[in-house]
Amino acid sequence: MKASERRQAILEALCTRRSDKIENLAFEFNVNESTIRRDILELSLNYPIYTQTGRYGGGVYVANDYFIGKQYLSAEQQSLLEEMISTVSDDRKEILQQIIAKFGKRSRT
């Protein structure tokens, strides 16, 4: 398996599981832990993947609101839809809110 294929498989595994341990990923992909660490570092440059240290809570995580293939609204598109909510009828408000919930990015406040 090439590095790019392995990284894609790691990303898919993390998006399914939401988190995992370096040791588990190394075992699963039959590489050493330093290879997985390099893969995670490379993936984290383009995807919302991060590591956390800790005796029991340590591991590799993918952001809660990230899923492979999900299309997101741009900030401008989301802002426009949010502005439009106050100008439409109640049944259309619900539809706009559903669109924002499904395709909008959640604020990290």
Side-chain angles (χ1 to χ4, degrees):
M1 177 182 286
K2 294 179 184 177
S4 60
E5 294 169 336
R6 184 181 60 248
R7 289 176 184 148
Q8 182 64 34
I10 290 168
L11 178 62
E12 291 170 5
L14 288 173
C15 284
T16 300
R17 299 177 201 149
R18 310 314 293 167
S19 68
D20 209 338
K21 304 265 185 209
I22 297 280
E23 309 86 66
N24 295 342
L25 292 168
F27 179 79
E28 181 176 346
F29 293 100
N30 197 30
V31 294
N32 62 41
E33 291 179 20
S34 60
T35 300
I36 293 294
R37 284 189 183 88
R38 283 191 300 273
D39 290 342
I40 297 302
L41 178 62
E42 185 70 28
L43 286 168
S44 70
L45 297 174
N46 296 302
Y47 300 97
I49 293 174
Y50 61 95
T51 58
Q52 184 174 334
T53 59
R55 186 172 191 178
Y56 301 107
V60 183
Y61 298 83
V62 63
N64 288 334
D65 61 349
Y66 178 78
F67 298 92
I68 293 176
K70 181 174 180 180
Q71 297 292 315
Y72 293 99
L73 295 169
S74 70
E76 187 177 67
Q77 291 168 331
Q78 185 167 337
S79 177
L80 176 61
L81 291 175
E82 289 168 348
E83 287 175 27
M84 291 174 61
I85 287 176
S86 63
T87 66
V88 298
S89 63
D90 287 343
D91 59 326
R92 297 212 178 253
K93 281 181 187 177
E94 186 175 327
I95 293 169
L96 284 174
Q97 289 169 336
Q98 290 171 353
I99 292 169
I100 292 168
K102 186 170 183 175
F103 298 106
K105 291 183 182 176
R106 296 181 200 143
S107 61
R108 299 190 189 272
T109 53

